[in-house]
Amino acid sequence: MGVAPEDSEDLRLKKAVMTIMSTSIAFPAMFWGVFYLYNGYPFSGAIPLAYSVISFSSILHFFKTRHFAFFCFSQQLLILLVPFLLMWSLGGFANGSVVMIWAVFAPLAALFFINLKAATHWMLAFLALLVFSALLDQTFAAHALPMPAGLNTIYFLLNLGGGFILIAIMLYYFVKDRESAYTKLQQSETHIRELMLTDPLTDVANRRHLDGRMVMELNRQMRYGPPLSVILTDIDWFKRINDTYGHAVGDTVLKAFANHLRGSLRASDFVARYGGEEFVLLLPNTTIEDATALAERIRDTTKQLLFEQLELRVTASFGITAARPGETMTEVLSRADEAMYQSKSHGRDRVRVLME
């Protein structure tokens, strides 16, 4: 109730917490009203009872109209004024200072439901009423029935305990909401980062991701000296596949080949779509001999990929090189590209190694 279909999760949470807190304060107010009436304070008892009626009416009005801003303002105004009215009726600070803990809910609620600026305004209003109360404290005390010490102690403990419990609940939801929002923000940032670094068609790394990863691997090689092999591979006759069977089939071939490459690598290896039907494999801590054996194995198993739409088998050409300490990414990829060009020139479905 009070929730609109277009409300965000954050707004839904705030509406729920505000309703719970308003109800949680209105019910104890009924208890205090009866408590005061029973102990011979009829005027003081009438104030929290009247507050309960007005507060429940405000909640019902919110459920009917969904005007959350008005609901917040009315509840904050009530919870700010009622403790002061009650304190004045009890004779000022001597008998009623402990009820001030309930008035603190006004700036706290503004901090949770609105913003820091609104909370500051409500806190200033609270301080202004405190100053007003101090100036007229003697006048209030002169017209009040003194409260017995034992009753005052019970009254103090009940108010203090109930107030701190509700403040703890509000702070719990406040912190929980902020932690939830922070977690969602981190998840969104992680998802956005993944989208920025992933090729949307093949679901392997894109060129941007490749650039960053290759710079990192080259820096690692320069610092620690482990071998870094690079394979550039290209699907043979891919344009013919697109022209003959259509781009949808071509996309299917690209996805299958990318999955095949990814499934052939170790966890420490890296595969990225370099552009079109070309893919780059980075193989850290891998000698040129091991990289060649891997390329031959991938080349052989690529021919075993089956596609219902194709009447021919898909093959791929491979160019391999090893990065030398101090080389740039452009130099390494250029040499791998030249090796792959030699594979194409010698009939495709080949593996060629170029070290110079």
Side-chain angles (χ1 to χ4, degrees):
M1 290 182 288
V3 177
E6 65 275 10
D7 289 346
S8 64
E9 290 186 14
D10 182 66
L11 183 56
R12 287 172 183 266
L13 175 65
K14 289 182 177 181
K15 287 183 175 181
V17 174
M18 187 64 177
T19 304
I20 292 171
M21 297 304 300
S22 300
T23 306
S24 300
I25 295 174
F27 276 115
M30 296 173 64
F31 164 79
W32 288 118
V34 174
F35 179 81
Y36 287 126
L37 290 175
Y38 177 79
N39 287 282
Y41 296 87
F43 182 58
S44 298
I47 292 173
L49 288 175
Y51 163 77
S52 296
V53 173
I54 297 173
S55 181
F56 282 126
S57 299
S58 173
I59 294 171
L60 292 175
H61 180 266
F62 165 61
F63 286 166
K64 183 178 181 180
T65 63
R66 299 178 180 174
H67 292 164
F68 186 57
F70 176 77
F71 177 52
C72 285
F73 177 79
S74 63
Q75 289 292 332
Q76 288 172 265
L77 185 62
L78 284 171
I79 202 60
L80 178 67
L81 293 179
V82 167
F84 281 98
L85 291 174
L86 189 57
M87 185 262 287
W88 297 338
S89 72
L90 291 170
F93 290 114
N95 283 343
S97 60
V98 73
V99 298
M100 293 299 96
I101 193 171
W102 297 97
V104 175
F105 277 95
L108 273 179
L111 181 62
F112 177 78
F113 296 106
I114 309 175
N115 52 41
L116 180 60
K117 183 178 180 180
T120 303
H121 292 162
W122 283 101
M123 181 57 75
L124 290 174
F126 172 76
L127 294 175
L129 286 172
L130 275 181
V131 172
F132 176 78
S133 300
L135 293 175
L136 297 180
D137 188 56
Q138 295 299 320
T139 303
F140 296 137
H143 296 84
L145 178 65
M147 184 176 291
L151 184 63
N152 199 353
T153 300
I154 294 174
Y155 173 64
F156 174 83
L157 294 175
L158 288 175
N159 265 290
L160 195 65
F164 274 124
I165 288 172
L166 286 175
I167 288 176
I169 293 173
M170 176 173 284
L171 289 177
Y172 168 77
Y173 278 106
F174 178 80
V175 173
K176 181 181 178 182
D177 180 45
R178 293 301 178 269
E179 287 180 345
S180 176
Y182 178 70
T183 300
K184 289 179 180 178
L185 179 61
Q186 284 187 313
Q187 291 173 344
S188 297
E189 289 179 347
T190 300
H191 181 61
I192 291 172
R193 190 179 301 112
E194 289 176 352
L195 290 176
M196 291 177 61
L197 299 177
T198 303
D199 177 60
L201 176 62
T202 61
D203 205 32
V204 298
N206 60 13
R207 178 63 185 270
R208 180 197 297 267
H209 198 177
L210 171 65
D211 292 348
R213 179 63 177 267
M214 193 158 186
V215 169
M216 182 184 73
E217 295 294 349
L218 289 172
N219 289 337
R220 179 184 291 132
Q221 186 204 33
M222 182 181 296
R223 184 172 183 180
Y224 300 108
L228 172 63
S229 295
V230 178
I231 300 176
L232 183 61
T233 179
D234 179 281
I235 298 174
D236 295 329
W237 306 113
F238 185 73
K239 184 177 184 302
R240 182 183 299 176
I241 295 174
N242 271 337
D243 293 342
T244 305
Y245 301 98
H247 288 278
V249 173
D251 290 347
T252 300
V253 171
L254 280 174
K255 293 177 187 177
F257 186 60
N259 287 331
H260 179 53
L261 292 174
R262 184 164 45 197
S264 303
L265 301 181
R266 304 166 301 181
S268 59
D269 298 332
F270 180 83
V271 57
R273 187 180 180 188
Y274 189 54
E277 65 274 22
E278 294 181 338
F279 295 84
V280 171
L281 282 63
L282 300 183
L283 310 175
N285 298 306
T286 305
T287 64
I288 200 70
E289 292 78 16
D290 290 338
T292 304
L294 173 64
E296 287 287 2
R297 186 165 62 251
I298 296 175
R299 182 191 65 81
D300 186 58
T301 51
T302 296
K303 292 184 288 186
Q304 299 173 21
L305 297 176
L306 300 177
F307 302 93
E308 294 181 0
Q309 305 95 326
L310 301 183
E311 299 175 359
L312 53 85
R313 292 192 180 276
V314 174
T315 62
S317 299
F318 297 79
I320 308 174
T321 192
R324 294 189 289 265
E327 280 192 310
T328 66
M329 178 179 63
T330 301
E331 291 171 333
V332 177
L333 290 178
S334 177
R335 194 163 58 250
D337 184 62
E338 176 61 27
M340 190 183 68
Y341 176 77
Q342 292 181 12
S343 294
K344 295 285 188 181
S345 300
H346 289 80
R348 294 178 171 80
D349 189 21
R350 298 272 193 288
V351 173
R352 285 290 183 270
V353 178
L354 185 62
M355 298 299 295
E356 298 297 332

